[in-house]
Amino acid sequence: MPQLLLEIFSEEIPARMQQGAARDLERMVCDRLKAAGLTWEALTAYAGPRRLTLVIDGLPTATPDREEEVKGPRASAPEQALEGFLRKTGLTRDQLTERDGVLFAVLSSKGRATTDLVAETVDQVVRTFPWPKSMRWGSGTLRWVRPIKRILCLFDGKVVPFEIDGISSDAITEGHRFLGSGQPLKVSDFVDYRTQLEKNFVLLDVADRKLRILEQAKAACTARGLALVDDDGLLDEVAGLAEWPTPILGDMDPQFLALPPEVVRLSMKVHQKYFAVRDPSKDGLAPNFLVVANVEATDGGKALAAGNSRVLSARLNDARFFWDEDQKVGFDAWNAKLSGVTFHAKLGTLAERVERIAALAREIAPLVGADADEAETAARLSKADLLSGMVSEFPELQGIMGGYYARLAGHSDAIADAVRDHYKPQGPADTVPTAPVTVAVALADKLDTLVGFFAIDEKPTGSKDPFALRRAALGVIRLVLENGVRVSLDRLFDLSKPGADPWGFVWPGFELIRFLVDRLKVILRDSGARHDLVDAVIETRKGSEGLVDDDLVRIVRRVEALAAFLATDDGANLLAGYKRASNILRAEEKKGPLPTGMVQTGLPNQPEAETTLAFAVGAARTAVEAALETEDFAAAMTALARLRAPVDRFFDDVLVNSDVPAERENRLKLLGQVRDVMGQVADFGQIAG
């Protein structure tokens, strides 16, 4: 079947926008083709420095014929309503059909040529494309990220004719700006298109560009006994900067290795888009860098390497200046300036925030096995580097530079590490600190953020989370779980409550607990836990208070134990028995309050299965309570498993809704006890199946 090939060729597209643009092009074209009833066999979108490309295989030559039934007014409706419907549909009264007193119109339309639809679609897509930033050029009104030079559009090997702001579609593309032939390239289909581009030094697929960069970069390093420092983010960026990427290994002045390696790497990455290089036989970086050029130099890249080395030296000299000057200033001066920096209009200055974090870190320290004095000291140093010259130049180094400066100032490794790592974890892929002092300060930092913004009613809404509170919540959860911190959320938030209250705080404790519990659900579900088991454990009631369990470590252990239990025959069958009992009890609750009190045994004519279950429930209650007291959830599940056979036999042998009121009441009490005992472990009513 025919193939559609579309290329929008322009001046350089910023690398950070390319892959999003490819997705948008695919989505926008697909939505319009699907709406017209078209299907296809395969579709791929590509993005590069100067072109967006879309290829669709297996498109039909025309859209399908359509027939649509439109509901109109009632047959008895006023004449004006009927006339309006006829004008809308373009039909006459005798062309309408009547069904159940309502008029209907059947509208038929012939299919359109796919080329007509494609021309219309490309025009709409180009004019409404959602670039983060766009521009106009010349005297036209068209907006695009950079000026469009050509639009290639072929269907079944023929040009789809259209014009957009003076740019006519054709079958022409161009190769590499410098290495290509410099002549227009006429193509016939996608295979020809891709082949001619590669002959003219253009790799269309970003995956191919990444592979070329990695293979040649590693080969260049290996030839010198070096190794490339992996950086996926930088690889993504440089793959969008060059159509024919050519890695070149350069040298830098070894004296710059006296700077912290994070400074060297970030200066290379942010300013120059260079990869760092290391010596596998030593710790730290090597005095080299790797630049990805967009040309193949005749001298093997020597001149390019030398020029880039001079530029890098200038950048690293700036970094060295900040490093030297910061050491002359120090923490006292930086902390003094924090009182002049507003954290949030309703939450005070950064200095006030530091005071809150320091007090909270001191309270949390005993809970995580940290020294309280060290935790407080680290917290008081944690935000100082925000006023340093290095962090002003490289905001990404906040915390990291504070750790270096704290160590140079003579503080212990525990304090310096806590200053360095207290922002962690900042995302799902980030490592979680385990050093006790660091855990204390990291928790204090995130809890202060959550409590403060919830207290002033700045909560996440929908997809909006301007203060990254979901990230802070996930950070708290990961710190607690991965360090096995045994403390309730209620206790943590109570410790976070400010003493003096100059901003009119409304204490959001319970709301915050629910917020973190909801975030925990996301983590557990993402890790593969069944959502119904998570709900069953989290919604287990704590006495008569109606609160959810808020010990995160305990919740996770209960979910794991419950999943293992339900995977057994006893667990699956007992769940069925629980649901049967619950259904009976719910039906009775609609008639009035359920009977309560002691279950009677030894009654006249009492079935053995009823007596057996009564004793089994009593034994299970004792065992479950003992197991839960020691948080032996596997033992609690084992105790419940012993109810499986008595429950099965009870439902086989006993009629719950007996005609004898005393028998019926006793049996309802017994089922209520079964539900209550199981409910101590989890809310089994939340579990599917």
Side-chain angles (χ1 to χ4, degrees), residues 129-150:
F129 204 82
W131 290 108
K133 291 184 178 180
S134 59
M135 61 180 290
R136 288 201 305 259
W137 60 95
S139 58
T141 60
L142 188 65
R143 299 191 69 92
W144 198 249
V145 64
R146 295 290 186 271
I148 295 177
K149 298 299 184 183
R150 297 181 181 276

Side-chain angles (χ1 to χ4, degrees), residues 324-336:
D324 293 339
E325 290 301 305
D326 283 345
Q327 293 178 60
K328 298 175 185 177
V329 179
F331 285 95
D332 290 342
W334 293 330
N335 274 332

Side-chain angles (χ1 to χ4, degrees), residues 34-92:
K34 285 179 181 177
L38 290 179
T39 59
W40 50 86
E41 296 172 0
L43 180 149
T44 310
Y46 303 93
R50 295 200 295 163
R51 66 198 81 221
L52 294 181
T53 303
L54 184 70
V55 58
I56 306 178
D57 289 310
L59 271 176
T61 57
T63 64
D65 295 342
R66 290 191 168 190
E67 191 171 88
E68 177 185 11
E69 185 177 71
V70 180
K71 184 179 180 181
R74 296 192 64 83
S76 59
E79 192 66 24
Q80 296 93 323
L82 176 59
E83 290 175 356
F85 184 62
L86 293 176
R87 284 195 300 271
K88 174 184 174 182
T89 60
L91 301 179
T92 61

Side-chain angles (χ1 to χ4, degrees), residues 75-123:
S76 59
E79 192 66 24
Q80 296 93 323
L82 176 59
E83 290 175 356
F85 184 62
L86 293 176
R87 284 195 300 271
K88 174 184 174 182
T89 60
L91 301 179
T92 61
R93 175 64 179 83
D94 59 344
Q95 291 177 300
L96 303 181
T97 58
E98 183 178 336
R99 191 165 64 247
D100 298 328
V102 178
L103 297 174
F104 291 86
V106 177
L107 303 180
S108 300
S109 61
K110 288 290 185 182
R112 301 173 59 196
T114 299
T115 51
D116 292 342
L117 176 63
V118 166
E120 179 183 288
T121 294
V122 175
D123 184 89

